[in-house]
Amino acid sequence: MSKYLDLSLKEINKLLKDKKIKPIDLVEEAFENIEKNKDINSFITLDKENAFKVAKELENKEVDNLLFGIPIAIKDNICTKNLRTTCASKMLENFIPNYDATVVEKIKSKNMIIIGKTNMDEFAMGSTSRTSYFGAPKNPWNKKRIAGGSSGGSASCISSRIVPFALGSDTGGSIRQPASYCGIVGMKPTYGRISRYGLVAFGSSLDQIGPMTRNVYENAELLNILCGKDEKDLTSIDKEKEDFTSLINTDIKGMNIAIPKYFVTDIVEKEVLDKFNEIVEILKEKGCNIEYIDIDYIENAVTLYQIIAMGEASSNLARFDGIRYGYSYENPQNLEELYTKTRQFGFGDEVKRRIMVGSFILSGENAKIYYDKALKIRDDIRKSFLKAFKKFDLIIGPTTTTVAYDLESNLDDPLKTFLDDILVIPVNMAGLPGLNVPIGFSKDKMPIGLHIIGNAFDEKTIYKLASSIEKTLDLNLDPRGEKNE
């Protein structure tokens, strides 16, 4: 059977329009791909029966947009009506939402076909997806290595070419870091750009849903349909509709680009830094002006993230108490035991650790000493970034300090997983958009990513630079292929 899903979005769209293929052909192929890649463990729940039903219904409809009939995977912390949503936790192992997240409604309105829910770190807490109650997803480039996290299942299912589109969520790098490890394009949009209604909350002032795709153009197309003000999410922002693909393939000559000095220090492994520096040279050749700058408190971003995210997590996860939904401890002696035992057995170790630290941070005087102070410094980081954007179009750096490492390494080091995100966390602190674009491979054939940071609501300019780099490098990012650079 020919490989339709390997074609570009525009090619698939043309075949559907010309009635040469039907949506059901794409759905069949997606499930064949899942079967072939079972060992990667990208998915927690499949929606096979409904996907085929929707595909059949679409046969009689007019192909009225570019994403019509295209299969998509959804991270398992985004609510899907009548489809299990577990957050990769025992706590929600049997939870079936009775409503769709706003982004899911938008996807369905374009007649995209949801094929399943992807694996992730439990409640999105982690950078490796190893905290998943359902076991870690694997990296398609080397199945002994991590896919990254917390959107590891979404990244691995795009990278292994199961489907062309997935949704992830990003609280402290959870879209961009696994995108870098798996060699795909992942965008964390500006905070407020996309409604968070129906996203199971982790750190409410940081969380953002975003698109994960094979290439830059398709990423921009998916972002086009996800944005917009939502009455159900008061943090979503009303912006005029724009086309994020509009600057793709335009000339980057004369662009002013900054590199924070901290992003190129010895925290980054030599191999990753060398590849990054090659890109810097290419950009200079193309006529970009590059300058190294300082961003205030950027080296403290991980500490601030831990304080803010864990504080917010302890508050958000208080709702999982065994009473209204989710796992509930059987035969408790009293109410207190119901609460304590439900949370003891329902949550994994990393989630419990973060709830405990977060509860400490928010208790009594500590809230002033830690949380309030962290918010003030966070505001200073944001101001420092915004000041840089008065002079520069974009800011760049490596996405990660290393390539994806072994599934078995650093298992007992909770701090290590935070440091995996040291280059991507500042963007969440500042509420800015950031994207990973692949820029090559390490000597052991693992993907390396470039991180492009834009001004608030300027995702278009990020796509402009990313598409230029993608076109120049022309990498083979298919782990099934023999050829890669």
Side-chain angles (χ1 to χ4, degrees), residues 313-373:
S314 74
S315 168
N316 278 325
L317 271 63
R319 68 191 68 168
F320 302 106
D321 54 12
I323 299 211
R324 285 158 299 180
Y325 48 78
Y327 168 77
S328 189
Y329 178 68
E330 283 180 29
N331 306 320
Q333 301 304 302
N334 51 45
L335 187 62
E336 188 179 343
E337 188 177 64
L338 171 66
Y339 285 155
T340 52
K341 295 285 192 204
T342 292
R343 291 167 75 79
Q344 179 187 341
F345 297 121
F347 289 132
D349 288 347
E350 180 62 28
V351 173
K352 284 190 277 203
R353 185 187 291 124
R354 295 195 190 196
I355 289 172
M356 278 158 38
V357 174
S359 301
F360 173 78
I361 285 164
L362 295 184
S363 60
E365 276 298 295
N366 289 349
K368 274 199 188 71
I369 300 167
Y370 299 112
Y371 188 75
D372 292 358
K373 188 175 181 185

Side-chain angles (χ1 to χ4, degrees), residues 120-217:
M120 57 182 280
D121 277 296
E122 185 183 6
F123 284 103
M125 295 184 193
S127 310
T128 61
S129 298
R130 291 182 299 195
T131 67
S132 171
Y133 178 62
F134 302 92
K138 298 181 175 85
N139 193 312
W141 293 92
N142 179 340
K143 291 170 190 174
K144 292 191 172 77
R145 301 205 188 191
I146 60 167
S150 62
S151 310
S154 288
S156 64
C157 98
I158 299 294
S159 173
S160 59
R161 299 299 190 259
I162 290 174
V163 287
F165 291 98
L167 289 188
S169 70
D170 192 312
T171 308
S174 286
I175 285 174
R176 293 155 291 147
Q177 181 253 47
S180 175
Y181 284 165
C182 290
I184 66 162
V185 177
M187 164 70 91
K188 181 206 91 73
T190 310
Y191 184 79
R193 176 68 96 176
I194 292 177
S195 169
R196 290 181 298 113
Y197 178 74
L199 172 70
V200 178
F202 160 17
S204 305
S205 71
L206 302 163
D207 299 340
Q208 191 60 193
I209 296 168
M212 303 176 79
T213 58
R214 309 173 290 189
N215 58 50
V216 174
Y217 171 75

Side-chain angles (χ1 to χ4, degrees), residues 215-227:
N215 58 50
V216 174
Y217 171 75
E218 291 174 6
N219 200 279
E221 280 292 0
L222 185 53
L223 185 62
N224 274 342
I225 70 159
L226 298 173
C227 297

Side-chain angles (χ1 to χ4, degrees), residues 127-129 138-142 145-161 169-170 172-188 211-215 219 268-269 271-273 275-276 279 397-405 419-425 434-442 444-452 475-479:
S127 310
T128 61
S129 298
K138 298 181 175 85
N139 193 312
W141 293 92
N142 179 340
R145 301 205 188 191
I146 60 167
S150 62
S151 310
S154 288
S156 64
C157 98
I158 299 294
S159 173
S160 59
R161 299 299 190 259
S169 70
D170 192 312
S174 286
I175 285 174
R176 293 155 291 147
Q177 181 253 47
S180 175
Y181 284 165
C182 290
I184 66 162
V185 177
M187 164 70 91
K188 181 206 91 73
M212 303 176 79
T213 58
R214 309 173 290 189
N215 58 50
N219 200 279
V268 183
E269 271 187 6
E271 215 177 2
V272 174
L273 205 48
K275 191 57 75 177
F276 171 72
I279 300 302
T399 307
T400 53
T401 56
T402 66
V403 293
Y405 49 82
L419 295 175
D420 288 347
D421 291 338
I422 199 160
L423 303 175
V424 277
I425 280 174
L435 172 129
N436 175 74
V437 64
I439 53 169
F441 299 88
S442 65
D444 51 5
K445 299 280 186 280
M446 295 307 290
I448 294 171
L450 174 79
H451 190 207
I452 308 174
L475 300 169
N476 176 22
L477 294 163
D478 186 343

Side-chain angles (χ1 to χ4, degrees), residues 99-137:
Y99 70 97
D100 277 328
T102 298
V103 287
V104 173
E105 285 178 354
K106 285 175 181 275
I107 278 164
K108 287 180 176 175
S109 76
K110 293 293 177 190
N111 291 314
M112 294 187 86
I113 302 172
I114 293 168
I115 58 156
K117 306 298 287 289
T118 57
N119 206 345
M120 57 182 280
D121 277 296
E122 185 183 6
F123 284 103
M125 295 184 193
S127 310
T128 61
S129 298
R130 291 182 299 195
T131 67
S132 171
Y133 178 62
F134 302 92

